């Protein structure tokens, strides 16, 4: 028996949600632990951000492919992936595009380019490499194995909660919207209002974050090249919000969660996940699980690792400067002014 077969059998839960959720989340903690061990030994955070991007891609990819692997093992996809994704037989092609779009959305975010040439993970890796492999966030925990591991554990939890809406959608059987509750296949294939709103919000948030990151990257590069002597960035989107990149990130995860919840609350999805008998409770449950993603991201950005660290650092450096105080008073902290 191969390792893959062992994994599929060990996670062959009756509920389709658990069949996909458990191995996907286990993969997140497994990857982070695998990176944590050598990082703790070498007392380096050099691969921390890079491993985060890898974990996002791996978890979503696993949740997308696991149902196919199970079908193949059961002999339901004897003709391969093309047969599995076709609209014949089980009708997987009827709403496959939703799973593909949400999975691709996470993939695009995780591999977005900050400086127009390097994906975010590679960019952060090259940046920390140029800084002698040091990140000030880890100064107080780098030499403590237990505290250092908590950082990797926290990243695994971050990835798990962020990708939860996508994993939930990917766990649905491909035939969930075929002949369940009398819904016509053609109707199920059409975008819902929540699909369109979710896509629009995601695209807006992603675009906002990318532009803000690139403006900051260019500003830093120009400063190193002595093209300006500004101490802090106050133009572009940074004149609309003091943290436009964080606002964009919170927004894009909100869009993903909305699109996912709009599918999961429908009766075919509820039935396929074994929640059909719960009524309103089942719908509230999946809505809450989807909402946990943007809520968690926003909480961390506003209260833990994003805004507070940045604000405290700049307040200490420039708090006594009138131009800095003017910028803080006139520029919203998070939600931009237009």
């Amino acid at each position: 028996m191969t390792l893959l077969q062992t994994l599929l059998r060990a996670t062959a839960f009756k509920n389709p949600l658990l069949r996909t959720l458990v191995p996907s989340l286990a993969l997140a903690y497994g990857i982070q632990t695998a990176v944590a061990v050598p990082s703790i030994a070498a007392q380096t955070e050099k691969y921390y951000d890079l491993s985060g991007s890898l974990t996002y891609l791996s978890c979503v990819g696993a949740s997308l492919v696991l149902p196919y692997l199970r079908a193949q093992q059961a002999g339901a996809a004897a003709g391969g992936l093309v047969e599995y994704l076709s609209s014949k037989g089980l009708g997987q092609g009827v709403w496959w595009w939703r799973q593909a779009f949400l999975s691709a959305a996470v993939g695009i975010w995780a591999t977005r380019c900050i400086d127009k040439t390097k994906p975010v993970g590679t960019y952060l890796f090259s940046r920390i490499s140029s800084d002698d492999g040091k990140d000030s966030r880890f100064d107080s925990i780098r030499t403590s194995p237990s505290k250092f591991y908590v950082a990797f554990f926290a990243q695994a939890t971050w990835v798990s909660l962020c990708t939860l809406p996508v994993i939930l959608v990917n766990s649905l059987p491909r035939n969930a919207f075929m002949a369940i509750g009398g819904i016509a296949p053609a109707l199920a294939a059409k975008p819902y209002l929540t699909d369109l709103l979710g896509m629009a919000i995601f695209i807006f948030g992603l675009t906002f974050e990318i532009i803000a990151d690139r403006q900051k990257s260019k500003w830093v590069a120009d400063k190193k090249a002595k093209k300006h002597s500004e101490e802090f960035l106050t133009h572009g989107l940074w004149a609309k919000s003091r943290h436009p990149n964080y606002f964009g990130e919170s927004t894009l995860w909100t869009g993903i969660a909305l699109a996912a919840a709009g599918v999961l609350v429908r009766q075919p999805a509820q039935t396929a996940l074994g929640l059909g008998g719960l009524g309103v409770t089942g719908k509230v449950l999946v809505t809450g699980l989807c909402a946990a993603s943007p809520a968690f991201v926003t909480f961390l950005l506003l209260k833990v690792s994003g805004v507070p660290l940045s604000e405290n650092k700049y307040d200490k450096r420039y708090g006594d400067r009138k131009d800095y105080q003017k910028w803080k008073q006139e520029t919203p902290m998070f939600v931009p002014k237009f």
Side-chain angles (χ1 to χ4, degrees):
M1 184 182 298
T2 65
L3 180 60
L4 176 60
Q5 290 175 326
T6 302
L7 172 64
L8 295 177
R9 288 195 177 187
T11 57
F13 302 103
K14 184 177 180 180
N15 188 290
L17 172 57
L18 295 180
R19 288 200 298 267
T20 300
L21 182 63
V22 171
S24 297
L25 299 190
L27 181 62
Y29 290 96
I31 292 175
Q32 287 301 300
T33 298
V35 177
V37 172
S39 296
I40 291 172
Q43 294 187 1
T44 177
E45 62 275 19
K46 192 173 182 179
Y47 300 98
Y48 184 80
D49 289 314
L50 190 61
S51 71
S53 296
L54 174 62
T55 306
Y56 272 103
L57 295 173
S58 299
C59 286
V60 171
S63 70
L64 195 62
V65 77
L66 276 171
Y68 165 67
L69 294 176
R70 294 188 188 281
Q72 190 179 48
Q73 184 184 46
L81 188 60
V82 174
E83 176 197 15
Y84 183 67
L85 300 181
S86 71
S87 58
K88 299 178 181 179
L90 295 178
Q92 297 93 341
V94 169
W95 73 292
W96 161 257
W97 68 266
R98 288 187 174 90
Q99 293 176 318
F101 173 80
L102 291 176
S103 299
V106 176
I108 292 170
W109 173 81
T111 58
R112 69 195 187 280
C113 291
I114 290 183
D115 66 349
K116 298 184 180 181
T117 58
K118 296 178 181 177
V120 60
T122 305
Y123 172 82
L124 294 174
F125 174 73
S126 62
R127 187 177 69 177
I128 195 173
S129 296
S130 66
D131 293 336
D132 299 323
K134 302 295 183 180
D135 186 328
S136 60
R137 295 176 299 172
F138 298 87
D139 286 346
S140 61
I141 64 174
R142 191 182 299 111
T143 56
S144 171
S146 59
K147 291 181 179 179
F148 202 5
Y149 178 74
V150 168
F152 286 92
F153 184 89
Q155 181 157 255
T157 303
W158 185 321
V159 173
S160 299
L161 286 175
C162 282
T163 59
L164 187 56
V166 182
I167 294 175
L168 289 174
V169 172
N170 286 348
S171 69
L172 286 170
R174 301 293 191 269
N175 62 341
F177 280 76
M178 284 294 295
I180 296 179
I183 294 181
L187 180 60
K190 292 181 178 180
Y192 304 132
L193 178 59
T194 48
D195 290 326
L196 299 176
L197 286 176
M199 291 177 190
I201 293 173
F202 166 76
I203 292 172
F204 170 77
L206 179 66
T207 302
F208 208 88
E209 182 176 23
I210 289 175
I211 292 175
D213 281 338
R214 289 187 177 181
Q215 288 177 345
K216 183 67 174 287
S217 178
K218 185 178 185 302
W219 179 84
V220 171
D222 288 347
K223 185 175 182 179
K224 289 182 178 179
K226 301 186 183 302
K227 293 182 179 181
H228 68 78
S229 58
E230 298 173 356
E231 296 293 342
F232 44 89
L233 178 58
T234 61
H235 56 79
L237 293 183
W238 300 83
K240 306 294 183 182
S241 167
R242 300 205 299 275
H243 304 279
N245 52 340
Y246 295 151
F247 169 77
E249 182 158 344
S250 175
T251 301
L252 70 88
W253 288 112
T254 299
I256 289 176
L258 176 61
V263 174
L264 293 166
V265 296
R266 296 178 180 272
Q267 192 57 43
Q270 291 280 297
T271 301
L273 293 177
L275 303 175
L278 297 180
V280 176
T281 302
K283 296 180 179 181
V284 171
L285 175 62
V286 295
T287 301
L289 290 174
C290 289
S293 172
F296 181 72
V297 170
T298 304
F299 172 76
L300 286 182
L301 292 177
L302 289 178
K303 300 297 182 180
V304 183
S305 65
V307 172
L309 291 179
S310 180
E311 292 276 308
N312 290 337
K313 180 176 71 174
Y314 277 87
D315 284 347
K316 289 179 180 179
R317 290 182 181 178
Y318 314 116
D320 58 346
R321 290 178 48 162
K322 292 183 179 181
D323 55 347
Y324 175 73
Q325 290 298 331
K326 182 175 184 294
W327 176 63
K328 284 195 66 173
Q329 292 173 3
E330 296 178 351
T331 309
M333 180 183 70
F334 192 66
V335 180
K337 63 179 180 180
F338 293 102

